[in-house]
Amino acid sequence: MPAFSVSSRTIFCVLLTLAVSAAGGGIAMLLGLPAGWLMGGALAVTIAAMAGAPMMLPDGLRNVVFVLIGMSMGASVAPDSLQLLGSWPISLAALAIELVIIVATTGWMLTKVFKLDPGTAYLSSFPGHLSFVMGIAATGIGNARQIVIIQVIRILMLTIAVPIGAVFLPIDHFATQTASEFLSPLQLTLLAAVCVAAGLIFMRLKVPAGMVLGAMAAATAAKLGGLYTEAMPTPLVVATFVLTGALIGSRFVGITRTEFMAAAKGGLIATAMTVSIVTVMALGVAQLVDMPFGQIWLGLSPGALEGMGALGIALGYDTAFIAAHHVIRLLLLSFAIPAVAIMVRRIGPQAQDGHN
């Protein structure tokens, strides 16, 4: 048989990478894992890359992925998110303090104990917004290969407790809110144009992860400003996660077993620290408010909303409280992640090229 030309081989490798990412994401979704399309895709491509398979995603697709990530994050912000800040002030204050402590302590630990660069350490320490964290990591802030291992370990560890609890609790199904209206092709085109323009401006201003942050800023501002209320079409969101998983996973080509083990150990310790901090904060809040400790813990937990909500229903807790705190947590992280990314880039720019 004739040998593949360079272009044909590239096409084959890209299609294979996307197929592996989609298959891994589909399996993760069937298993009910949070952020399944992203996490499963990244894991599948990672395993394939470490096994020697020709995983590849051309640089030309990166900006497309970055714009899609920014659009998805902005479109997922609830229009009334800012209004929720007036409710449950004590627990929301604890949530904000908790996030600062988690990022500061786990980031410090990963830097000092495991000798990770600041970008890798602090992006690995964020308890949530995995797609946003991975999008920023993919642009060159920190070592994306180590970040994805630590973040996936955090999600898996926090998620394992939910199905174990479900075995002993009368849980049927948790009815998560699903969008009923989606952006039309014209709206998507206009929003994408605005996001691309904002991304180019951010890049011109040399903002780290400029295309992602610019696109997200534009989409979020438009959403909170009431210019649109519809959600991103589900197939487009899935495609975004599959592409992001492929991009992140393909960075594992050539990774050493030592590097993997170092990130895995750091992930386990960081997750244990996160759970401990959440528990201490929940105990403190429980002394100040007349509310079940379990409800507070589920609200402050960095686990997935669907999992925490299922346990909340089974235990008779206020799921509105739990949902509101998860929404606020993601909103706070939306501002904290880029702020920390910019700070880390300014403090130690030479450490941000760990993925190269």
Side-chain angles (χ1 to χ4, degrees):
M1 294 181 62
F4 280 120
S5 67
V6 174
S7 60
S8 297
R9 177 173 174 77
T10 298
I11 293 174
F12 170 77
C13 292
V14 171
L15 292 178
L16 177 62
T17 302
L18 295 178
V20 171
S21 180
I27 293 173
M29 290 299 295
L30 290 176
L31 295 175
L33 298 177
W37 286 111
L38 174 63
M39 183 181 67
L43 272 177
V45 176
T46 295
I47 293 172
M50 293 184 68
M55 298 291 97
M56 177 191 302
L57 201 67
D59 292 342
L61 286 179
R62 290 195 308 168
N63 283 339
V64 175
V65 179
F66 297 155
V67 171
L68 288 173
I69 292 173
M71 289 175 61
S72 298
M73 296 310 303
S76 65
V77 172
D80 59 346
S81 292
L82 297 179
Q83 299 176 9
L84 294 176
L85 291 173
S87 304
W88 304 297
I90 295 178
S91 55
L92 287 175
L95 176 65
I97 296 172
E98 165 192 290
L99 292 178
V100 173
I101 295 175
I102 288 174
V103 174
T105 57
T106 58
W108 180 87
M109 181 275 296
L110 291 171
T111 301
K112 299 300 182 180
V113 177
F114 290 93
K115 308 303 180 184
L116 300 183
D117 63 85
T120 301
Y122 285 97
L123 283 183
S124 298
S125 68
F126 281 107
H129 252 343
L130 178 60
S131 59
F132 193 21
V133 169
M134 292 294 94
I136 290 182
T139 66
I141 298 183
N143 188 317
R145 300 183 299 188
Q146 292 179 321
I147 293 170
V148 72
I149 297 173
I150 295 174
Q151 287 283 6
V152 166
I153 288 174
R154 176 186 64 81
I155 290 178
L156 289 176
M157 285 185 63
L158 290 171
T159 305
I160 286 173
V162 176
I164 291 177
V167 173
F168 305 99
L169 297 170
I171 296 177
D172 292 324
H173 297 286
F174 177 61
T176 55
Q177 293 184 347
T178 56
S180 58
E181 296 182 354
F182 301 93
L183 291 167
S184 67
L186 177 59
Q187 288 176 305
L188 281 173
T189 301
L190 293 175
L191 182 60
V194 174
C195 288
V196 170
L200 291 175
I201 292 174
F202 274 48
M203 291 179 66
R204 184 67 179 268
L205 296 174
K206 301 187 183 301
V207 175
M211 188 59 75
V212 177
L213 301 185
M216 181 193 164
T220 300
K223 185 68 174 286
L224 295 179
L227 298 182
Y228 71 97
T229 58
E230 298 83 359
M232 291 276 285
T234 302
L236 186 57
V237 175
V238 171
T240 300
F241 289 158
V242 170
L243 284 167
T244 305
L247 177 61
I248 298 302
S250 62
R251 294 187 179 279
F252 278 81
V253 174
I255 189 174
T256 64
R257 186 167 301 180
T258 301
E259 183 182 13
F260 178 85
M261 292 306 298
K265 293 176 182 177
L268 291 172
I269 296 177
T271 303
M273 291 174 62
T274 298
V275 172
S276 299
I277 293 168
V278 170
T279 301
V280 171
M281 294 300 295
L283 283 171
V285 173
Q287 308 305 312
L288 303 174
V289 300
D290 184 16
M291 194 178 297
F293 169 77
Q295 177 174 303
I296 300 171
W297 196 94
L298 290 176
L300 298 182
S301 170
L305 173 59
E306 60 269 21
M308 301 301 105
L311 288 178
I313 289 176
L315 297 171
Y317 295 149
D318 179 6
T319 54
F321 171 90
I322 297 172
H325 282 66
H326 281 265
V327 169
I328 296 300
R329 173 172 61 89
L330 295 180
L331 185 63
L332 291 174
L333 289 176
S334 296
F335 294 100
I337 291 171
V340 171
I342 292 172
M343 180 175 63
V344 167
R345 171 62 64 86
R346 289 178 176 175
I347 293 176
Q350 74 282 358
Q352 307 310 315
D353 295 323
H355 72 289
N356 291 331

